[in-house]
Amino acid sequence: MRSSSTRATSLRAGLAGLASISVLAVATATAAGPAVATPADHATSEVAAPDINVDDVVAHLEELQSIADANGGNRNTGEPGYQASVDYVQTKLDAAGYETRIQEFETAQGTSYNLIADLPGGDEASTVMLGGHLDSVGAGPGINDNGTGSAALIEIAETYAAQNPDGAQHVRFAFWGAEELGLLGSTHYVESLSSDEASQISAYANFDMLGSPNPGYFVYDDDPSATDLRDDLTELYTAAGTESAYVDVDGRSDHAAFMQAGIPTAGTFSGAEELKTKAEAEMWGGEAGAAYDPCYHSACDTMDNLDTEALDVNADVIAAALWQWTAGSTKSQ
Ligand code: DTR
Ligand code: ZN
Ligand code: ZN
């Protein structure tokens, strides 16, 4: 299996290669007749990712809140609220044109499920994967943890499919089960991959808690072989006018299994139970000495436990990274 740094380099080389192919194709076509058509030939130009409307992300969150309200107040593994959450996301992504599949696995709290969604097209040998966990703790609806990551990924997946950028890379989204029980769904997924399947994943980006009410703007810094991806996210925050900081996630979310398998990983995070420092409050606003999310793993992690500005910035940064990593370009009109 290629080392993750090779794969990260190959992803970026692929992007550069795509650009050179499209330039070469144009040059060839004008100089010596039409070149052999390649996917890049359909590209008319590199396009920036569209703005993700945070109201549309919030609408998905309201659906997840309603699901919890109708199912005992949570979306916990083994309880009906989790199954209803999976059904909601699968319905949305099927309608958007994704090929979805459910991956079943057992936990101490009963059977759980990963939802994997592939957009047809692109080179599967170079798959860009984005994911986050869909389950909540039993104490509450898990709107910030991790309704925000799930809702942002639904909206970005719908937008990507609708714009149908002619990216060379294949795109896959994952919504994990049983993260709160110990990263069980993502670990089950990675362990189920053959070595060929694993080597086809060029990057996995994880999004777990994006709208903490006293937010930080953190970029994962715990995969030394994927600093390119980390730097891309840092630059995209800066382009959005937001200063970010590194966080050593210390394996506390669903990217851990991918990193252990040598797949380059990255992610962003708005903070959990830890306290915002004075320096961070001066940089980002909010309250120093208070938790980034005072309702972490609590019943009060509801629609009232949300900073929509942080959610908006994160959704736009994630979309921009997806377009950048897949050479987001539109088909010729
Ligand atoms: N394990 C996550 C919360 C969490 C704690 N630290 C980080 C760092 C990066 C992402 C997530 C987290 C959870 O409780 O779901
Ligand atoms: Zn949690
Ligand atoms: Zn989480």
Side-chain angles (χ1 to χ4, degrees), residues 133 145 179-180 208-209 220 249 252-253 269 272 296-297:
H133 73 91
D145 180 20
E179 186 271 353
E180 300 290 10
D208 181 359
M209 301 178 76
Y220 291 17
V249 182
R252 283 184 62 178
S253 197
F269 172 56
Y296 175 62
H297 285 187

